[in-house]
Amino acid sequence: MKRIVILAVGLLGFAGSAQAVPGGRLMVLPKGGWTCEIPGDAAVIPVEKPDLGFETIADSSYVAPDGTRGTYLRLADRVTITSGIFAGRRFQMDGEEILRELAPDDSQLNLRCVHAGPVSLSTSG
């Protein structure tokens, strides 16, 4: 009986020390369209890149502009496109509505994708 108690306490201790998934918490992107662009500034307007945009749908999936589907993996603030036409693209989240594309060395590229969520047109009065 003493052996069983020691084993149970040991297993509980092991389970209690479990950490989060390496790479961060498993999450999904907000559903809807993502417009990709080269950002502008006060003097230059952004340049849209419609061939790089996509729409996120259920089950960590996306639809590319040509209608093909693929999947992505989001761990905390990092997103990796895992299949489909955009496989291999990687992003860092900037809040919940902006993705900034990453180079292989994790430096930011000059491309961002902005979530086009629902627009509220309610007016007062």
Side-chain angles (χ1 to χ4, degrees):
M1 179 69 170
K2 188 175 184 180
R3 257 182 146 177
I4 294 172
V5 171
I6 291 171
L7 179 61
V9 170
L11 289 175
L12 288 174
F14 178 72
S17 66
Q19 300 296 314
V21 175
R25 185 172 164 216
L26 183 62
M27 303 173 77
V28 295
L29 292 170
K31 292 178 190 164
W34 291 81
T35 301
C36 296
E37 62 191 13
I38 297 173
D41 58 26
V44 179
I45 62 170
V47 177
E48 187 175 353
K49 298 292 186 178
D51 54 325
L52 298 176
F54 52 93
E55 179 182 355
T56 48
I57 57 176
D59 301 325
S60 296
S61 298
Y62 72 93
V63 179
D66 67 358
T68 61
R69 292 179 181 227
T71 57
Y72 68 86
L73 173 67
R74 179 178 176 191
L75 294 174
D77 69 343
R78 297 293 176 119
V79 177
T80 302
I81 308 293
T82 55
S83 72
I85 193 168
F86 295 140
R89 287 176 74 186
R90 297 180 323 110
F91 300 89
Q92 181 168 3
M93 300 289 301
D94 186 354
E96 287 296 306
E97 305 293 322
I98 297 175
L99 295 169
R100 299 197 183 271
E101 192 156 17
L102 297 173
D105 67 357
D106 282 346
S107 62
Q108 286 189 359
L109 298 173
N110 195 23
L111 185 79
R112 69 178 176 200
C113 299
V114 180
H115 182 242
V119 177
S120 174
L121 299 176
S122 62
T123 57
S124 60

